[in-house]
Amino acid sequence: MMRGRMFSLVRTVVVLAAVVVVSGCGATVHGTSVAAEIDVRTLDVGTSPTSPPKLSSRLSDLGYRRLEAARMSDAVLSPHEVDGKYTGGAAALAHTEAKSVTFYLADAVVPVLQKYDFVVGFSTGSADDSRPLTKATHGSHEREGLVITVLRFPDATAAQAAAKELDTVDFGLDPENVTVTLPKYPTSSAHWRPSVPTLGSTTAHGVYVVSVLADARTTDLTRLTEMTQKYLDAELPELDKFVPTPIGKFNTLRQDPDRILIRALHAGGVVPEPDGQGEVVYTARGYLNYILDQGGRFPVLQRAGVDRVAMTPSVLVFRTRDDAAATEFVAESVELGAAVDRRAVDPPEDVPNTSCVQDYSAQTSDAQFRCFVAYRRYAALLLGRRLWETQQRAAAQYALFANSR
C-alpha cells in the first residue's frame, strides 16, 4: 500500500503565518469617504498601503500552471461534502510537478507520471476525528476518512495507461498486498493489506486519474469499499462538469479575474504571482479543501453565500452574497472554535464591522491574533503576532476595501 508521512498545509493556508511589521503612523492613506462612511484617511494604518496593489499582466509558465491547478480544486470534492461526518481536513495540495505528488502517493510513481506527461493535479482529504492520512502506513486505526488525489493527463489514453501502471507500481511495493475489486467500478484497480485498515484504488476517468485512499479503524474491507465507491459516485460527475483549460492555452488564464486579490492587503503594494498555494482565488469548494475545521467553518461560508476566496500568505478575502452577509460572516467567524481557546480583544479604533480575538490554540505565535473586517459584500481575515500591528493592518484592510470600489 501507499506509504509515507503526514503532510499538512495548515500553517501556510488556514493558519496564515506571515507578519507585516509596521511602525507608528505617517503612511499616506489615499481615497475619500462617501456618504454614511468614515473617512479612511483618519485611520491608524501604520505603514501598510491602502491603495489597490498592482497586478502583473503576465506570469511565468509555472505561475499559469498553478492557476490551472487552483481552478481544478473546484472539481475535487472534499470528502466532507460527500459524507458530513468527515469534519477534519487540512490535507490539500495543488500539484504542478510530479515530485509533489509523493506527499500522497509512493515515491516510485514519479517516473509513471513523467512517462505519461502528467499535467496538473490536486489532492485533498478529511476524516471524522483527527486529520486525514496522506499515506497508508502512518497512523492507521486512528480515524475514518479519505484522501484523494486527482491527476490530469493529456488525453484519456494516457490516463488509462497511467492508472494501470500507478496501481502496478504501488502494488509491488509490499508482498502482503492483495488485489481488490470495486463492484461498482470494475475497471478500477484496487488493493489492500488485510492486516492494515486502508484501501487504495486508482480509477481512470476521461483525462483524469482519481486515486482514493480510504482509511478506517478496523480491517473491514466491505466498509472501505463502500467509502471508496460513495466518493467516486459523487466525484466523477464533478469532473465531467469541469472544463479544463487546453494544454498550450494556460497563458490565457487571469490571476484575478473577479478583482478579489487586489482587495487583499499586500505589504509591498504588489500582488506576486501564484506561489503554489497562495496569491490565487479559489471557489468556496476549492477553499474548503484547505480548512482544518471543515465541519464548523463550511456552514459559515455557506450561510454567507461565499463564492470566492482570495488567498495570500497573510490575508484571506471572502466575497459574500451581500453586505449583510459579510457582516454576519464576521460575527460568526469570531465565534468559531472552543470558547476556552480564545478571548475577545479590542478591534482597531474607529473601524466599523471589525472584530478581533486572541487565539490561545494558534499553531504559531505569528497567528495568535485574528482580526475580521467587513466592508460591503467583502470580508477579510488577518492574523498577526502582536495585537497593535494586527489592529493597524485590519484598519488598512478596511481602507483598502473602501479604496477598491
Side-chain angles (χ1 to χ4, degrees):
M1 287 294 297
M2 304 173 218
R3 53 193 177 78
R5 57 198 179 278
M6 183 68 191
F7 179 75
S8 173
L9 294 173
V10 178
R11 290 188 178 181
T12 59
V13 178
V14 182
V15 180
L16 304 174
V19 175
V20 180
V21 180
V22 296
S23 56
C25 300
T28 300
V29 183
H30 302 284
T32 58
S33 63
V34 296
E37 292 190 2
I38 65 170
D39 184 345
V40 297
R41 293 172 298 183
T42 66
L43 298 179
D44 178 10
V45 300
T47 58
S48 295
T50 59
S51 297
K54 295 180 180 180
L55 191 69
S56 176
S57 61
R58 183 166 181 80
L59 305 176
S60 68
D61 289 345
L62 179 57
Y64 285 118
R65 287 170 65 86
R66 287 170 172 167
L67 289 184
E68 179 65 6
R71 285 188 69 245
M72 188 172 169
S73 69
D74 184 56
V76 182
L77 292 172
S78 163
H80 176 65
E81 282 199 81
V82 179
D83 192 326
K85 72 180 179 182
Y86 301 138
T87 58
L93 184 64
H95 305 294
T96 54
E97 47 94 21
K99 186 176 181 181
S100 72
V101 175
T102 62
F103 284 116
Y104 302 88
L105 306 181
D107 294 1
V109 307
V110 171
V112 178
L113 301 185
Q114 295 171 334
K115 176 181 177 181
Y116 292 103
D117 297 323
F118 156 75
V119 181
V120 293
F122 192 82
S123 294
T124 187
S126 56
D128 64 356
D129 184 33
S130 57
R131 297 176 189 171
L133 287 179
T134 50
K135 291 187 179 179
T137 58
H138 178 87
S140 298
H141 301 278
E142 296 178 1
R143 65 186 65 73
E144 180 181 304
L146 297 149
V147 169
I148 314 300
T149 297
V150 179
L151 306 169
R152 176 184 167 188
F153 291 87
D155 52 49
T157 300
Q160 290 174 356
K164 291 184 180 299
E165 287 196 32
L166 288 170
D167 179 77
T168 298
V169 167
D170 194 69
F171 185 91
L173 294 176
D174 195 300
E176 295 182 7
N177 279 329
V178 176
T179 298
V180 174
T181 298
L182 302 180
K184 294 180 68 174
Y185 297 93
T187 61
S188 298
S189 300
H191 58 270
W192 81 320
R193 283 178 288 160
S195 62
V196 179
T198 59
L199 172 67
S201 66
T202 308
T203 302
H205 187 75
V207 299
Y208 306 102
V209 172
V210 182
S211 172
V212 179
L213 172 63
D215 178 33
R217 292 180 175 82
T218 62
T219 51
D220 182 347
L221 182 57
T222 298
R223 176 59 186 153
L224 292 168
T225 301
E226 290 173 348
M227 293 164 58
T228 300
Q229 294 187 144
K230 183 177 181 179
Y231 183 84
L232 291 173
D233 288 346
E235 172 59 18
L236 299 188
E238 292 301 322
L239 290 175
D240 289 337
K241 291 185 289 186
F242 179 66
V243 180
T245 304
I247 296 172
K249 297 292 186 178
F250 287 0
N251 62 0
T252 64
L253 297 174
R254 296 165 58 194
Q255 187 176 5
D256 191 22
D258 301 305
R259 293 175 54 83
I260 313 293
L261 265 177
I262 63 166
R263 299 176 192 271
L265 188 67
H266 284 79
V270 175
V271 178
E273 74 169 46
D275 59 12
Q277 301 292 64
E279 304 301 347
V280 294
V281 179
Y282 289 94
T283 63
R285 168 173 286 167
Y287 172 63
L288 170 64
N289 289 304
Y290 290 97
I291 297 175
L292 176 61
D293 175 20
Q294 295 188 358
R297 296 183 184 275
F298 191 46
V300 175
L301 293 170
Q302 290 179 305
R303 284 192 291 271
V306 171
D307 66 351
R308 295 290 185 274
V309 182
M311 190 179 294
T312 84
S314 59
V315 182
L316 291 173
V317 169
F318 305 85
R319 188 174 71 180
T320 70
R321 180 186 307 107
D322 52 33
D323 299 13
T327 301
E328 185 61 25
F329 177 81
V330 167
E332 290 194 45
S333 294
V334 295
E335 298 296 328
L336 288 170
V340 69
D341 290 333
R342 67 177 189 274
R343 72 178 180 96
V345 294
D346 291 336
E349 188 175 357
D350 299 326
V351 181
N353 298 324
T354 305
S355 296
C356 298
V357 296
Q358 183 174 10
D359 183 3
Y360 300 125
S361 64
Q363 299 285 320
T364 71
S365 60
D366 290 340
Q368 67 172 303
F369 290 102
R370 305 197 311 263
C371 285
F372 290 87
V373 181
Y375 180 88
R376 297 194 176 179
R377 69 179 297 196
Y378 296 94
L381 165 61
L382 303 95
L383 303 186
R385 178 190 297 268
R386 290 172 287 271
L387 177 58
W388 64 268
E389 71 179 11
T390 311
Q391 291 168 329
Q392 286 185 328
R393 292 173 60 229
Q397 178 63 67
Y398 185 91
L400 174 57
F401 276 154
N403 291 330
S404 300
R405 292 194 298 267

